[in-house]
Amino acid sequence: MISADFGSLPNWGRSLISVEGIDELAKRKLQEVPERYVRSDEERPAMLASSFHQFDYQQNIPVIDMGKIAQAQHREEEVRKIGEACEEWGFFQVVNHGIPHSLIDSIKKIGKEFFQLPLETKQKYSVRPGDLQGYGQTFVVSENQKLDWGNLLGLIMSPPECRDMNLWPTEPAGFREKVDAYNIEIKSLTGQILALIAETLQLQPDFFEKKFGDAYQKMRMNYYPPCLRPDLVLGLSAHADMVGLTLLLQDDEVPGLQIHKGDQWKTVQPIPYALVVNIGNIIEVMTNGRYKSIEHRAVTNKEKARLSIAVFCAPGFTEEISPAPELIDEDHPCLFRRFIHQDYMDNYFSRGVEGKNSLYEYAAMKN
Ligand code: OGA
Ligand code: NI
């Protein structure tokens, strides 16, 4: 158990086993994709093996103009669009969000530079057994689990006691300062978006913020090197974000994020300087299932590496999570039981990556 002051983290990484990573593969001149990365027929992305696949961006996720939220004559319409996006898609993009473009340019630049450093340098920041932070690859829990074609660097921003500065790269120069500056901006934007989401449901403006507020914020940079057969692999396995809300900065030039809608995987169109916002499992529970946490994944590209930067925000570990009473009535029976956030996280990490089903197994109301 952890102490209520977040003094230490539970041993969530204990099942991590060591596997040959993408870095090692990149050193070799591969003629084919190693078996451990080749997905089953059902999981393979339906795309051409050729390089720049033409994605169909028809009917893409809604785009919210934060500039309009500040204008009295447009506000109502834009807030309504947020509600619709959350209900229909669980995803939307925000533009005119006020985060300086120069900061976005520089966080992407240093992110790419970090992943291009020699392996020996990056390994100074490797994920240690039992930890959730550092440089490594996604969650590997079993010998026969398929591997993602990607690397990541995860850093906890808050609570401050969980910041592990030993894992914060000191190179490229300015890395720490830029990461800090970016995360401060994201935190402020997250607060605004949470208040707007609450407004779409006629909940108190601080309904989500008082649970998430200063609680837990983690940044994860995902780096997907080019892959000789993008049609066979996944950069990031299908999953639903277990947190409250995620803000993702995509690569402007290289698409890769796909969301599961209907029975299709839809590629999210990159919009320069936009942030992709998605509802996580905790908001799904708190809205009694009205807003859904949608499964998504990342695909790779044949010629170009892709960087994405996700910032996750979640409640404190000791918070109690349950659906808003305002969203429960005869027509909308309570779908989820009450639980402690940390118990849910323990359960999630003990299962490994298996989409979102575990939320229902864990928290669905049993009649
Ligand atoms: C994530 C995620 C998608 C991407 O980090 O949780 O879904 O495009 N990333 O990298
Ligand atoms: Ni995700």
Side-chain angles (χ1 to χ4, degrees):
M1 281 299 283
I2 55 160
S3 55
D5 65 357
F6 309 107
S8 61
L9 283 164
N11 196 15
W12 281 321
R14 64 187 162 251
S15 50
L16 198 108
I17 54 176
S18 151
V19 288
E20 184 185 47
I22 286 286
D23 279 294
E24 272 97 320
L25 293 184
K27 286 187 193 158
R28 301 198 248 127
K29 288 236 170 321
L30 291 178
Q31 299 299 316
E32 55 184 67
V33 175
E35 192 51 37
R36 283 216 68 181
Y37 293 87
V38 176
R39 301 286 168 155
S40 65
D41 287 348
E42 303 83 67
E43 268 195 298
R44 283 179 197 178
M47 55 172 56
L48 301 173
S50 68
S51 56
F52 271 88
H53 5 269
Q54 278 302 304
F55 289 113
D56 177 9
Y57 292 129
Q58 293 295 309
Q59 276 220 325
N60 221 248
I61 65 172
V63 179
I64 304 298
D65 183 343
M66 292 297 279
K68 288 191 178 166
I69 302 274
Q71 297 167 350
Q73 74 272 35
H74 295 302
R75 192 173 192 287
E76 199 180 319
E77 166 70 6
E78 218 56 17
V79 174
R80 193 184 55 73
K81 273 169 64 183
I82 294 178
E84 277 175 14
C86 291
E87 201 151 357
E88 271 250 337
W89 295 81
F91 268 84
F92 55 92
Q93 307 208 51
V94 290
V95 295
N96 281 326
H97 43 59
I99 301 183
H101 289 186
S102 56
L103 181 57
I104 291 184
D105 288 336
S106 53
I107 187 97
K108 285 182 171 173
K109 181 163 176 286
I110 55 160
K112 283 201 170 135
E113 285 171 4
F114 171 78
F115 286 101
Q116 284 157 3
L117 289 172
L119 179 58
E120 302 71 45
T121 311
K122 288 181 289 191
Q123 275 173 335
K124 290 197 269 182
Y125 311 105
S126 285
V127 179
R128 290 183 297 249
D131 201 358
L132 284 178
Q133 304 189 64
Y135 174 72
Q137 56 186 151
T138 36
F139 214 56
V140 185
V141 287
S142 85
E143 294 292 345
N144 43 27
Q145 176 191 330
K146 291 291 180 187
L147 300 179
D148 290 341
W149 195 269
N151 282 326
L152 53 86
L153 174 72
L155 297 173
I156 296 180
M157 303 293 136
S158 64
E161 315 82 275
C162 289
R163 279 187 175 222
D164 183 349
M165 295 316 287
N166 294 324
L167 296 175
W168 283 54
T170 50
E171 52 196 300
F175 186 95
R176 292 179 169 191
E177 293 75 12
K178 291 289 184 244
V179 164
D180 250 333
Y182 179 70
N183 275 278
I184 289 168
E185 293 282 350
I186 289 287
K187 181 173 174 175
S188 146
L189 181 60
T190 302
Q192 293 171 49
I193 294 173
L194 287 175
L196 289 165
I197 294 176
E199 185 177 333
T200 63
L201 294 165
Q202 281 98 46
L203 298 168
Q204 292 296 320
D206 66 350
F207 177 74
F208 298 110
E209 261 236 283
K210 66 177 190 251
K211 285 272 175 208
F212 303 171
D214 285 330
Y216 181 83
Q217 184 173 331
K218 180 177 177 185
M219 181 192 76
R220 192 167 82 196
M221 291 181 161
N222 304 295
Y223 187 74
Y224 310 102
C227 179
L228 68 165
R229 290 292 302 273
D231 55 323
L232 298 182
V233 309
L234 289 176
L236 186 60
S237 301
H239 65 283
D241 292 349
M242 64 176 300
V243 293
L245 197 72
T246 306
L247 268 61
L248 180 89
L249 193 57
Q250 279 217 82
D251 203 301
D252 287 351
E253 286 154 33
V254 192
L257 172 64
Q258 297 191 321
I259 72 174
H260 203 198
K261 176 140 166 84
D263 55 3
Q264 279 184 320
W265 286 98
K266 283 190 173 287
T267 306
V268 175
Q269 179 169 25
I271 301 176
Y273 300 107
L275 286 154
V276 180
V277 180
N278 69 287
I279 301 289
N281 289 356
I282 298 294
I283 290 191
E284 176 162 346
V285 172
M286 290 176 75
T287 62
N288 195 29
R290 175 96 172 254
Y291 293 170
K292 297 229 165 23
S293 167
I294 298 298
E295 236 188 349
H296 53 284
R297 67 183 187 185
V299 297
T300 60
N301 184 274
K302 196 164 183 181
E303 272 104 34
K304 294 199 175 185
R306 172 171 179 266
L307 174 82
S308 72
I309 304 174
V311 180
F312 306 103
C313 115
F317 304 126
T318 53
E319 289 286 349
E320 206 174 70
I321 309 297
S322 61
E326 295 89 330
L327 300 177
I328 300 170
D329 57 33
E330 255 173 43
D331 297 331
H332 306 91
C334 183
L335 295 179
F336 299 99
R337 68 177 174 84
R338 189 174 289 268
F339 59 85
I340 303 293
H341 187 215
Q342 193 205 320
D343 295 341
Y344 168 61
M345 291 177 84
D346 286 347
N347 178 272
Y348 183 97
F349 285 110
S350 68
R351 286 162 179 268
V353 186
E354 52 173 74
K356 72 178 290 195
N357 289 337
S358 66
L359 173 68
Y360 293 96
E361 274 175 40
Y362 181 74
M365 203 71 169
K366 302 220 168 41
N367 294 313

